[in-house]
């Protein structure tokens, strides 16, 4: 079992920055790709960014050039640096870790990001 804990959310003005962290504990050997998702009120959960254990990344078009995902395998932590934030980035951000051994992924509890205009 893997336990994911997010931190770093909060309230920021348009154009500001936040850095989210997601620390994994437990059976971390089971973790493959790590991702950040977000869910705005009334909307479906959407993929924001993902990173493999070797550092290959992918981003949603809406955040390319503004967000950067990174990973510290020694600390079992994934980060999401969010710059030039917009009100439409307001959502609960969730950390996700793909399981190499199980059919289901691991999820964190979510952290709220609110961008005021």
């Amino acid at each position: 079992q893997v336990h994911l804990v997010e931190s770093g959310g909060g309230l920021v003005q348009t154009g500001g920055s936040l850095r989210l962290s997601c620390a994994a504990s437990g059976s971390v050997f089971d973790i493959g790709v790590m991702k950040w998702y977000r869910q705005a009120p009334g909307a479906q959960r959407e993929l924001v960014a993902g990173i493999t254990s070797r550092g290959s990344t992918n981003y949603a078009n809406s955040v390319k050039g503004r967000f950067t995902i990174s990973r510290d395998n020694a600390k079992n932590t994934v980060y999401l640096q969010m710059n030039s934030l917009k009100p439409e980035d307001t959502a609960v951000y969730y950390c996700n870790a793909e399981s190499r051994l199980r059919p289901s992924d691991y999820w964190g509890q979510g952290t709220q990001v609110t961008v005021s205009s």
Side-chain angles (χ1 to χ4, degrees):
Q1 191 74 8
V2 171
H3 188 51
L4 302 175
V5 178
E6 301 107 331
S7 60
L11 173 64
V12 65
Q13 291 186 333
T14 296
S17 298
L18 284 174
R19 188 194 195 205
L20 305 183
S21 299
C22 172
S25 60
S27 302
V28 296
F29 59 86
D30 187 26
I31 296 175
V33 178
M34 296 192 76
K35 303 174 185 177
W36 286 98
Y37 285 79
R38 67 185 181 187
Q39 188 167 20
Q44 289 188 332
R45 192 171 296 189
E46 63 174 354
L47 177 64
V48 176
I51 185 167
T52 70
S53 57
R54 295 186 177 185
S56 296
T57 60
N58 67 286
Y59 297 92
N61 288 333
S62 58
V63 306
K64 280 181 181 177
R66 300 188 298 121
F67 291 11
T68 303
I69 189 170
S70 60
R71 180 170 180 169
D72 186 334
N73 291 325
K75 295 182 177 180
N76 299 311
T77 301
V78 64
Y79 305 96
L80 186 68
Q81 178 66 44
M82 306 186 294
N83 299 327
S84 303
L85 283 161
K86 306 175 181 180
E88 50 263 44
D89 295 317
T90 295
V92 177
Y93 284 70
Y94 296 91
C95 178
N96 169 279
E98 287 189 354
S99 170
R100 292 191 172 110
L101 303 175
R102 297 156 53 101
S104 59
D105 295 348
Y106 302 104
W107 290 90
Q109 81 286 354
T111 185
Q112 176 71 47
V113 171
T114 303
V115 185
S116 63
S117 57

